[in-house]
């Protein structure tokens, strides 16, 4: 599934993991203790988070924890000879045209997941209700929210204030935030006594250097309107960075790498010693690389000209740039690179131009990110195009010799990549390491949800 919601492309391979198995009979599930059901041991025992250092949001679920209890690790026995941990985390990843639902057990094992190939909206509540009727009750819910806006700089519990702040910035990522809020509202209604955590793609880039986040516009636009670069795909980058460090056997804080997420949305990011120092996306997820259906960067003068000379209105520009441009706009047939690779082989000139424009855009983005580093320790591909489109990876890398990257890449089987989680694919002597990391946004959301609630644990 393309986690951006935009078809990057449509019909892309869906990774499914072990299902729960046969449904146990009623009463067989160990009864989960909701956080709001726990007795109080003190007047106040809130969970502190990076985004809430002063405990503004109060205790989890409005109640406090018993002494020694872990917020997501409390279990009770339901007339069974053994105890079952009930610290399941439900992850909800809403895109503009799809919804991904996954349940993780307390040990980080993905228990079951489901893809809903319809735009999240009023029907989301029904889909979620059906899912919840078939699985153990979750102890917490993690929501992927693409844009945090200016006031939220860390993953955080969702309360009325946070919900209002998210609604206020929905127009900065119109394909993503509004559908996600439909799902947030549905989930909070169905699970009112469970903590809900907003996990933001922008958080990874929150410490961008001033020169990287600043647009060259008047101070009034920057101060009064808040015009600045935020950056996105941060959950994907967080996951890929940790896997890269493991693969290279080096600590994250001693790595300088370029990460490239290619799916429905595409971006590149420069990471220096564990921190994002530059990225191609900006105030919105529309800037940067050519994408499946999004234009990527465009001369702002062209937009002014289209308005003045041809009378295009804001709504038409918005719809065209977000939904009818990119690979789809170039090819006229598809935003899916697999379709375009096949069409190019059959002599389709428009498909060939679309792929050439796309790969050049990616090379430009990678090279510009490398300019923010002292050295290049690795080039890392993730996202669904990044992980399962070897032709695209090869065409990008074979023309990046100026950075020490070489073509002739290995092509791992997708099934092996999904099972192992990553592969190093370069094979030229003294070339920059090139890695492919299986997309891990869902796992990262589960991990960040546990961190916000103060619970250690592994997410696989």
């Amino acid at each position: 599934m393309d986690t951006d919601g935009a078809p990057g492309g449509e019909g892309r391979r869906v990774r499914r993991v072990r299902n729960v198995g046969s449904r146990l009979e009623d009463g067989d599930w160990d009864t989960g203790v909701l956080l709001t059901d726990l007795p109080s041991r003190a007047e106040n025992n809130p969970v502190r988070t990076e985004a809430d250092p002063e405990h503004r949001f109060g205790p989890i679920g409005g109640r406090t924890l018993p002494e020694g209890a872990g917020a997501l690790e409390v279990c009770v026995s339901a007339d069974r000879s053994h105890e079952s941990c009930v610290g399941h985390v439900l992850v909800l990843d809403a895109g503009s045209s799809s919804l991904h639902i996954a349940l993780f057990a307390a040990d980080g094992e993905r228990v079951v997941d489901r893809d809903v190939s319809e735009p999240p909206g009023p029907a989301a509540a029904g889909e979620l209700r059906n899912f919840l009727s078939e699985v153990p009750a979750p102890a917490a819910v993690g929501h992927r929210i693409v844009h945090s806006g200016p006031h939220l700089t860390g993953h955080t519990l969702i309360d009325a204030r946070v919900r209002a702040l998210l609604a206020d910035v929905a127009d900065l990522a119109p394909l993503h935030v509004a559908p996600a809020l439909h799902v947030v509202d549905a989930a909070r209604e169905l699970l009112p006594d469970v903590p809900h955590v907003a996990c933001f793609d922008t958080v990874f880039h929150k410490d961008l250097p001033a020169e990287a986040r600043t647009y060259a516009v008047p101070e009034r636009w920057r101060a009064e309107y808040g015009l600045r670069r935020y950056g996105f795909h941060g959950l994907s980058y967080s996951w890929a960075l940790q896997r890269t460090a493991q693969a290279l056997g080096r600590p994250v804080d001693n790595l300088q790498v370029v990460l490239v997420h290619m799916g429905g949305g595409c971006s590149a990011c420069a990471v220096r010693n564990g921190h994002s120092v530059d990225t191609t996306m900006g105030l919105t997820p529309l800037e940067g690389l050519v994408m499946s259906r999004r234009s990527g960067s465009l001369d702002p003068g062209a937009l002014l000209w289209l308005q003045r000379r041809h009378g295009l209105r804001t709504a038409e520009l918005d719809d065209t740039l977000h939904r009818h441009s990119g690979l789809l706009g170039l090819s006229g047939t598809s935003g899916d690179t697999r379709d375009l690779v096949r069409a190019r082989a059959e002599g389709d000139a428009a498909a060939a131009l679309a792929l050439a424009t796309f790969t050049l855009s990616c090379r430009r983005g990678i090279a510009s990110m490398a300019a923010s580093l002292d050295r290049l320790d690795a080039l890392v591909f993730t996202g669904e195009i990044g992980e399962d489109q070897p032709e695209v990876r090869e065409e990008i890398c074979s023309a990046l010799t100026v950075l020490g990257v070489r073509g002739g890449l290995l092509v791992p089987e997708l099934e092996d990549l999904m099972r192992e989680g990553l592969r190093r694919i370069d094979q030229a002597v003294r070339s920059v390491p090139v890695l492919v990391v299986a997309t891990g946004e869902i796992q990262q959301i589960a991990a960040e949800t546990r961190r916000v609630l103060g619970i250690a644990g592994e997410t696989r």
Side-chain angles (χ1 to χ4, degrees), residues 347-383:
D348 187 326
L353 176 62
L355 287 169
T357 304
F358 176 70
T359 55
L360 175 59
S361 171
C362 291
R363 294 196 300 273
R364 285 171 170 166
I366 292 166
S368 69
M369 293 301 99
S372 291
L373 302 176
D374 300 321
R375 62 180 189 273
L376 185 58
D377 293 329
L379 174 62
V380 183
F381 291 100
T382 189

Side-chain angles (χ1 to χ4, degrees), residues 306-326:
L306 288 169
Q307 289 179 313
R308 285 195 307 259
R309 183 72 175 265
H310 297 283
L312 270 63
R313 297 183 178 275
T314 301
E316 183 177 358
L317 290 171
D318 186 295
D319 184 60
T320 300
L321 295 175
H322 279 100
R323 295 180 173 85
H324 305 287
S325 298

Side-chain angles (χ1 to χ4, degrees), residues 3 15 17 89-93 100 102-105 108-111 113 142 144 199 235-236 238-240 243 382 387 417-422 437-451 457-460:
T3 53
R15 298 185 300 282
V17 297
V89 174
L90 177 68
V91 172
L92 300 175
D93 182 358
H100 187 73
L103 187 73
F104 289 85
E109 180 77 16
R110 180 154 35 171
V111 179
D113 62 3
R144 180 188 177 216
C199 299
L235 293 163
S236 174
S238 294
W239 181 264
R243 306 288 86 71
T382 189
E387 70 192 19
L417 175 62
M418 295 301 102
R419 182 178 62 254
E420 298 168 13
L422 60 87
V437 177
T439 310
E441 287 166 324
I442 298 295
Q443 297 94 315
Q444 192 67 31
I445 293 168
E448 299 295 354
T449 298
R450 293 183 182 279
R451 288 192 189 99
E458 180 183 1
T459 299
R460 294 178 240 180

Side-chain angles (χ1 to χ4, degrees), residues 35 45-61 65 70-72 89 139-145 152-159 162 194-200 203 206 235 443-457 459:
L35 296 176
N45 183 25
V47 168
R48 180 177 180 180
T49 73
E50 179 182 5
D52 183 28
E54 299 176 357
H55 310 299
R56 294 188 308 274
F57 301 125
I60 293 182
L65 305 181
L72 296 183
V89 174
V141 184
H143 297 265
R144 180 188 177 216
I145 309 291
L152 300 169
T153 58
H155 311 301
T156 188
L157 288 164
I158 300 174
D159 63 0
V162 170
V194 169
H196 292 253
V197 175
C199 299
F200 299 109
V203 165
K206 67 184 178 65
L235 293 163
Q443 297 94 315
Q444 192 67 31
I445 293 168
E448 299 295 354
T449 298
R450 293 183 182 279
R451 288 192 189 99
V452 167
L453 299 174
I455 302 304
T459 299

Side-chain angles (χ1 to χ4, degrees), residues 49-53 56-57 143 145-170 172 177 181 184 196-207 228-232:
T49 73
E50 179 182 5
D52 183 28
R56 294 188 308 274
F57 301 125
H143 297 265
I145 309 291
V146 165
H147 211 308
S148 64
H151 301 297
L152 300 169
T153 58
H155 311 301
T156 188
L157 288 164
I158 300 174
D159 63 0
R161 171 182 171 273
V162 170
R163 173 63 176 80
L165 288 172
L166 294 177
D168 190 53
V169 300
L172 289 176
V177 177
L181 290 181
V184 166
H196 292 253
V197 175
C199 299
F200 299 109
D201 274 303
T202 47
V203 165
F204 187 74
H205 309 286
K206 67 184 178 65
D207 295 321
R228 55 156 291 182
R229 172 170 281 106
Y230 283 92
F232 302 93

